[in-house]
Amino acid sequence: TAHAFRLHPGEKLMPALKQAAEIILARSKCESAFIVTAVGSLQRATIRLANASRKDGDNTGGNDIKTYNQRFEIVSLVGTFSADGSGCHVHISLSDAEGNTIGGHLMDGTIFTTCEIVMGTADSVKFTRTMDDSTGYNELEVIQLPKQQSDAWKAIPAALMILAAGFIAGRLKAR
């Protein structure tokens, strides 16, 4: 199911995404949400760069976090959100006025003109995050859920029982 919303100038991107996901997940009674698409612009962005590492004895810190105080177009925004409170994981790609592109793990951003976001929910999976010793991070764990039947399909077995009972009763009367 798709859920669309718009953020306005000055709003903080990451808190808004988390709040929207929380509301969407509660209303839809789903266990997982994800970003389908987003377009817009930022006037400030904080991202963690790709050299982050917590394995193989890397003690350089590896988590370069940079804040950019300039205007960017959002060229990509992707991520997953968990209903169980175990977290989210969001990446962003941004393009500056000269077309140079940067990207990484979204820490936060401030909307410049707008940000139009479409999020989706999935009924059949549960997203959760668990510690992965091989990376040193809480990583996505996907749990398949039993397929939910719509209310219309739930009524079919009862309707078939009524039809069968009626058929049997009619056959017994005819004797």
Side-chain angles (χ1 to χ4, degrees):
T1 304
H3 309 269
F5 57 98
R6 177 181 172 229
L7 302 179
H8 300 273
E11 287 190 72
K12 298 290 189 182
L13 180 55
M14 199 61 195
L17 288 171
K18 288 178 180 179
Q19 181 181 27
E22 186 177 312
I23 292 167
I24 289 166
L25 289 166
R27 285 183 182 166
S28 65
K29 296 184 173 82
C30 284
E31 297 288 331
S32 57
F34 50 91
I35 299 169
V36 176
T37 190
V39 294
S41 60
L42 298 179
Q43 59 186 333
R44 177 184 171 100
T46 302
I47 59 175
R48 188 180 72 214
L49 302 177
N51 64 341
S53 176
R54 288 191 182 170
K55 63 180 216 170
D56 297 332
D58 179 4
N59 52 5
T60 62
N63 282 318
D64 286 349
I65 296 174
K66 291 194 176 183
T67 297
Y68 300 89
N69 289 302
Q70 65 187 81
R71 295 175 182 168
F72 291 102
E73 286 292 321
I74 298 169
V75 294
S76 176
L77 183 67
V78 296
T80 57
F81 300 84
S82 305
D84 66 6
S86 65
C88 63
H89 192 181
V90 180
H91 283 207
I92 193 165
S93 294
L94 303 166
S95 180
D96 67 15
E98 295 177 5
N100 299 311
T101 303
I102 59 168
H105 182 91
L106 177 65
M107 304 303 287
D108 205 1
T110 304
I111 305 303
F112 174 52
T113 58
T114 190
C115 189
E116 303 160 4
I117 302 165
V118 179
M119 293 182 78
T121 54
D123 299 355
S124 60
V125 294
K126 175 182 179 177
F127 293 163
T128 191
R129 299 205 157 271
T130 55
M131 177 56 71
D132 183 333
D133 292 333
S134 67
T135 66
Y137 290 99
N138 287 332
E139 302 289 3
L140 181 66
E141 181 180 345
V142 179
I143 301 166
Q144 293 294 328
L145 299 174
K147 199 166 191 174
Q148 295 179 358
Q149 295 178 337
S150 72
D151 290 338
W153 288 104
K154 290 176 185 175
I156 289 177
L160 288 173
M161 291 295 288
I162 292 168
L163 285 172
F167 177 77
I168 292 169
R171 299 281 297 177
L172 291 174
K173 262 188 175 179
R175 287 186 176 182

